[in-house]
Amino acid sequence: MKIKLLLFLLFLANTVTAQDKMTSNKGIIVFEASVPFFEEVEAINKVVSCVFNPKNSTIYYVAYISQFRFERNLMEQHFNENYLESRKYPKATFKGVIEKFELRNVTEIAKEYQIKGKIYIHGKSKNIRVSAKIKKTPKGIEILSNFPLNTDDFKIEIPSIVISKISKIVKVETKCILQ
């Protein structure tokens, strides 16, 4: 009887520990680097991984560069081979902390939080601070964010032949539902 109780308590302890982190492998990142009067430069990645630890408010994103999809295959090829060099730098990551966050305060009404951390793209890192809207949904906790990134900060070279057609300031949108 004691062994069964001990096994049950160990199982329960592992279950509680497993609940400490919330995850998703279906996060979405959309970026747009279009310039008016030229062809739209936009891509989406729908398989972004995210891990969130509500106890210490840490959040971690991983996006594989080759998973960004463009409307045109040629743009996707140039993006992977010439701009982001996805064979050499296969992923982009972000590790940060959601400031002043407490899980018990999350409701169905989105609240704005600041996320401070380090983003790593194309072999370069940069400290950033972005706003995010966080709310409870039937599927979990939703985190939405919009922020700009400058290609110069990550040494992403845009060839002179297309420099007037691609913005150096890239608009980034993220969406993740953590469970």
Side-chain angles (χ1 to χ4, degrees):
M1 182 68 173
K2 289 180 184 180
I3 293 175
K4 286 182 182 180
L5 179 60
L6 180 61
L7 288 174
F8 174 74
L9 290 174
L10 285 172
F11 174 76
L12 184 62
N14 284 336
T15 304
V16 171
T17 303
Q19 297 296 323
D20 289 348
K21 293 182 181 171
M22 302 175 79
T23 63
S24 174
N25 60 2
K26 295 180 182 176
I28 297 171
I29 296 176
V30 177
F31 78 80
E32 195 244 337
S34 302
V35 173
F37 309 114
F38 289 101
E39 189 171 16
E40 183 177 70
V41 179
E42 184 176 83
I44 187 168
N45 184 332
K46 295 182 180 180
V47 289
V48 177
S49 296
C50 183
V51 177
F52 175 58
N53 184 339
K55 287 190 177 192
N56 60 12
S57 302
T58 56
I59 192 159
Y60 184 70
Y61 286 87
V62 177
Y64 284 91
I65 301 302
S66 63
Q67 292 298 315
F68 280 95
R69 299 293 173 244
F70 290 76
E71 191 171 304
R72 295 178 165 245
N73 288 340
L74 189 57
M75 271 191 194
E76 193 169 310
Q77 182 182 346
H78 285 274
F79 173 78
N80 280 294
E81 292 175 6
N82 304 329
Y83 302 112
L84 273 287
E85 303 174 274
S86 62
R87 285 195 179 137
K88 188 174 182 181
Y89 308 107
K91 61 186 175 181
T93 61
F94 173 81
K95 184 176 183 179
V97 175
I98 304 173
E99 297 177 333
K100 300 176 184 174
F101 181 85
E102 290 191 34
L103 188 59
R104 69 174 182 254
N105 294 335
V106 177
T107 66
E108 290 80 17
I109 299 169
K111 282 176 96 174
E112 194 158 318
Y113 291 89
Q114 294 295 309
I115 303 176
K116 181 179 174 183
K118 186 175 277 194
I119 192 165
Y120 184 82
I121 302 171
H122 197 243
K124 305 294 177 208
S125 64
K126 178 178 169 115
N127 290 322
I128 63 172
R129 184 184 181 121
V130 300
S131 294
K133 293 185 179 182
I134 301 175
K135 70 178 182 177
K136 189 183 293 186
T137 70
K139 294 182 178 181
I141 303 296
E142 179 183 78
I143 301 177
L144 300 172
S145 186
N146 297 302
F147 54 93
L149 291 175
N150 188 325
T151 58
D152 289 343
D153 292 338
F154 303 98
K155 306 290 187 233
I156 299 168
E157 294 183 29
I158 300 172
S160 58
I161 196 163
V162 292
I163 195 106
S164 63
K165 299 177 183 180
I166 300 173
S167 176
K168 285 185 166 277
I169 305 301
V170 179
K171 298 174 193 167
V172 180
E173 294 179 29
T174 67
K175 178 181 180 179
C176 190
I177 297 178
L178 297 154
Q179 300 176 333

